[in-house]
Amino acid sequence: MSTAGQVIKCRAAVAWEAGKPLSIETIEVAPPQKGEVRLKILFNSLCRTDVYWWDAKGQTPLFPRILGHEASGIVESVGKGATHLKPGDHALPIFTGECGECTYCKSEESNLCELLRINTDRGVMLSDGKTRFSKNGQPIYHFVGTSTFSEYTVLHEGCVAKINPAAPLDKVAVVSCGFCTGFGATVNVAKPKPNNTVAVFGLGAVGLAACEGARVSGASRIIGVDLLTNRFEQAKQFGVTDFVNPKDHNKPVQEVIAEMTNGGVDRAIECTGSIQASISAFECTHDGWGTAVLVSVPKKDAEFKTHPMKFMEGRTLKGTFYGHYRPRTDIPGVVEKYLNKELELDKFITHPVPFSEINTAFDLMLKGEGIRCLICMEE
């Protein structure tokens, strides 16, 4: 493209300080360096992780910063040594990566990467320790290697999944984080069998994706657990058959679910980040064969406490990251399944929002309204 090798001026939503509304600014985006690509972002969908780090609660604040990580776009240019992408490719930026060379990438049992796994504290590029964003000479920090709340962004090529150009970029943006995180936790890690009972804690976008995974796996009963009762009706679209609000009961929710299911569920997936929900998810599984999968990240000082007998009785506790999907290897296949009508993604997008009104998306998420806001970069 004509902009290759040049600094690009474009709009970006900049977080100047914690918890304050994002500001639409004209910034400069430097060309990609060795092993990097520059993407033109066309669509974003807001994830709670963006809100959490924007608010900087209990975390190391790093500002000014460009947030955003669940998105889709087109490759504008590539740096030296970037070999698996070319200008014009349709792509999804991924907050974790796949270098293809480390021990983790070469293992079939892991989707982690020694070089490119998520690092929320790093605000610069790996190749030279510098940012690619600036305004009037002031550096602006990156976020989880993606920073998609900008019309152009620069990423390590290992954090970009090339996808079929036939895929509508507005629909598949959710694949780059929320959908795969929840759906993969169910189908790749929990692996429910047909007619199993499944409990999902948290009915936000990730939790609903986990429910969707249980639905397509043939679960006979899917129990949604959430503190917001108004989420149940919407959750029915994703296969949820029963709803439990822990606030409606005077006993631990794991006991409620065990009574509902004659001893416990076959599989449980936790998608809230609450350590108590994690414990409840594990303890609501059936002895002998129950498996619980932890998806969301708890607070740094959280402690998981349960009696060892819960394990000795045959229950299994697992954790997963990004649904056990490898960005470059697996994500193109997820998109193909959507194109083949094997997956439903459209129902996850409930609110389209123009980029100039990105703060509206934050307000809707803080109110617990909708599932995913689609932020359209071109207005």
Side-chain angles (χ1 to χ4, degrees), residues 128-360:
D128 58 6
K130 298 179 181 179
T131 72
R132 300 291 175 262
F133 303 119
S134 62
K135 181 175 175 63
N136 299 327
Q138 179 183 5
I140 300 174
Y141 293 111
H142 296 250
F143 176 64
V144 296
T146 53
S147 293
T148 59
F149 291 166
S150 173
E151 291 176 317
Y152 287 87
T153 188
V154 178
L155 307 89
H156 189 287
E157 70 163 341
C159 296
V160 182
K162 178 182 176 180
I163 63 170
N164 189 331
L169 291 174
D170 57 334
K171 307 298 184 186
V172 299
V174 295
V175 169
S176 67
C177 179
F179 176 79
C180 284
T181 298
F183 188 84
T186 302
V187 301
N188 294 335
V189 186
K191 298 180 180 179
K193 300 174 183 178
N195 296 316
N196 273 181
T197 57
V198 178
V200 176
F201 286 70
L203 297 177
V206 173
L208 291 176
C211 294
E212 185 75 357
R215 184 186 70 80
V216 302
S217 297
S220 61
R221 193 175 184 186
I222 302 173
I223 303 169
V225 183
D226 203 287
L227 298 174
L228 299 176
T229 302
N230 60 1
R231 285 182 163 179
F232 180 42
E233 196 62 36
Q234 189 173 51
K236 291 179 180 178
Q237 299 178 53
F238 301 84
V240 174
T241 57
D242 303 77
F243 180 80
V244 176
N245 187 333
K247 295 189 296 184
D248 294 340
H249 302 274
N250 57 7
K251 64 179 69 174
V253 68
Q254 54 266 48
E255 294 182 16
V256 174
I257 293 172
E259 291 174 2
M260 293 171 60
T261 55
N262 193 28
V265 295
D266 301 298
R267 303 287 186 267
I269 300 98
E270 187 286 317
C271 305
T272 71
S274 160
I275 193 63
Q276 186 53 56
S278 299
I279 295 168
S280 298
F282 175 63
E283 295 186 349
C284 81
T285 60
H286 205 291
D287 60 354
W289 60 80
T291 297
V293 178
L294 307 186
V295 176
S296 297
V297 180
K299 294 181 179 179
K300 287 191 292 185
D301 58 351
E303 295 182 352
F304 188 99
K305 297 181 179 181
T306 192
H307 198 282
M309 280 300 297
K310 298 291 184 182
F311 292 97
M312 296 172 71
E313 290 170 343
R315 296 178 181 87
T316 300
L317 179 65
K318 295 183 176 183
T320 183
F321 186 71
Y322 192 46
H324 208 70
Y325 285 111
R326 292 171 294 174
R328 288 164 54 180
T329 301
D330 299 331
I331 296 311
V334 175
V335 171
E336 290 301 320
K337 286 186 176 182
Y338 169 70
L339 290 173
N340 293 334
K341 303 188 184 303
E342 298 173 47
L343 297 176
E344 298 178 16
L345 299 178
D346 301 30
K347 59 188 178 183
F348 284 89
I349 301 296
T350 53
H351 293 80
V353 175
F355 185 43
S356 59
E357 298 176 21
I358 188 172
N359 289 301
T360 299

Side-chain angles (χ1 to χ4, degrees), residues 12-58:
V14 179
W16 290 102
E17 55 183 304
K20 297 296 177 69
L22 304 185
S23 176
I24 302 295
E25 307 276 0
T26 298
I27 67 162
E28 295 83 40
V29 183
Q33 301 303 304
K34 183 179 179 181
E36 299 172 358
V37 300
R38 189 161 59 184
L39 284 184
K40 179 180 182 180
I41 300 297
L42 295 179
F43 296 97
N44 272 284
S45 46
L46 180 63
C47 173
R48 183 162 291 277
T49 299
D50 297 310
V51 177
Y52 186 71
W53 287 92
W54 160 75
D55 216 19
K57 289 182 177 178

